[in-house]
Amino acid sequence: QKEVEQNSGPLSVPEGAIASLNCTYSDRGSQSFFWYRQYSGKSPELIMSIYSNGDKEDGRFTAQLNKASQYVSLLIRDSQPSDSATYLCAVNAGGTSYGKLTFGQGTILTVHP
Amino acid sequence: NAGVMQNPRHLVRRRGQEARLRCSPMKGHSHVYWYRQLPEEGLKFMVYLQKENIIDESGMPKERFSAEFPKEGPSILRIQQVVRGDSAAYFCASSPPSDNEQFFGPGTRLTVL
């Protein structure tokens, strides 16, 4: 079982729709959760961090965390073509692995006009 | 406020040569992380450093790879006797002492001929 799993996609949504990206993780003791966006040929860009169960909103982005289900998601409202990218879920286990982020394989999102 | 800086952005080496990759963290950040992204693969953690200390090197290959973050100057990832399989994008990230949100530099694309 992979430590962090994401659907690779591609996920295709029309402009203006809600894009829903999902991620599950295997280490129940994981402490911190992050979503990064990576355009082709570029470096990952931090979009959201979430540490507690529930929702966290920032502009058009909402991160949702459910530690009991070991599940974290990212919703993008009013999707734009510029949101087309690979979205990476990253998990920090904490403890002796404090500095280490474990990444999923990424979900490719395409927003079509 | 300048972001994480990496140089060179592109590096070409022949098999058996040495590669040195440099990373200057964001201002105020004292924690540095190195990740590798192989073609068509996800981001993999390599090493976590603070000034003059290696905190976690659990992702570093046992041979040929080393990293340092001296008291003065940038962090260096060194790859000795490079092989074709080392061709990848190498990303550096940094975080402040009080937070584990990691911000990535533009990366160094290493090509081994």
Side-chain angles (χ1 to χ4, degrees):
Chain A
Q1 182 190 9
K2 291 181 183 177
E3 294 181 67
V4 179
E5 290 204 54
Q6 297 180 249
N7 290 330
S8 60
L11 173 66
S12 182
V13 300
E15 185 174 356
I18 295 175
S20 178
L21 305 160
N22 304 315
C23 173
T24 58
Y25 58 95
S26 61
D27 186 340
R28 185 170 288 278
S30 295
Q31 303 283 319
S32 312
F33 307 86
F34 306 90
W35 283 99
Y36 286 84
R37 177 174 62 195
Q38 187 174 27
Y39 292 111
S40 181
K42 302 296 185 183
S43 62
E45 174 191 4
L46 180 64
I47 299 174
M48 293 282 287
S49 59
I50 186 165
Y51 305 96
S52 305
N53 280 329
D55 295 359
K56 179 182 178 182
E57 187 175 319
D58 184 0
R60 295 187 296 113
F61 299 100
T62 298
Q64 299 173 317
L65 175 61
N66 184 325
K67 288 187 178 180
S69 300
Q70 296 175 240
Y71 175 91
V72 58
S73 67
L74 179 70
L75 300 177
I76 306 174
R77 289 181 299 281
D78 189 24
S79 295
Q80 302 296 310
S82 58
D83 294 327
S84 299
T86 298
Y87 287 80
L88 303 170
C89 172
V91 176
N92 185 299
T96 56
S97 299
Y98 175 75
K100 174 182 177 180
L101 288 181
T102 301
F103 284 84
Q105 286 291 96
T107 298
I108 299 170
L109 172 66
T110 301
V111 181
H112 52 88
Chain B
N1 186 12
V4 179
M5 295 196 293
Q6 290 187 249
N7 67 81
R9 297 289 299 275
H10 299 274
L11 182 61
V12 179
R13 285 287 178 265
R14 296 189 181 280
R15 282 179 296 169
Q17 291 184 321
E18 178 179 289
R20 283 191 177 225
L21 288 61
R22 295 175 187 78
C23 170
S24 296
M26 288 177 70
K27 187 176 181 180
H29 289 194
S30 56
H31 297 197
V32 165
Y33 316 82
W34 287 93
Y35 293 83
R36 177 166 65 174
Q37 191 169 38
L38 292 164
E40 307 304 323
E41 292 190 19
L43 272 166
K44 302 293 185 189
F45 169 82
M46 300 181 76
V47 63
Y48 163 32
L49 309 107
Q50 296 176 20
K51 284 285 187 182
E52 299 184 283
N53 284 305
I54 297 175
I55 307 301
D56 180 354
E57 56 181 347
S58 60
M60 288 279 272
K62 294 287 187 286
E63 297 177 350
R64 302 187 297 109
F65 286 73
S66 63
E68 63 176 1
F69 189 15
K71 186 176 180 181
E72 301 291 337
S75 175
I76 306 282
L77 179 68
R78 182 183 179 202
I79 311 172
Q80 295 179 288
Q81 299 177 322
V82 295
V83 301
R84 289 215 174 110
D86 297 332
S87 295
Y90 291 83
F91 293 102
C92 168
S94 72
S95 70
S98 56
D99 199 340
N100 63 354
E101 286 188 343
Q102 297 181 21
F103 296 88
F104 281 76
T108 294
R109 270 82 179 163
L110 173 65
T111 301
V112 180
L113 302 178

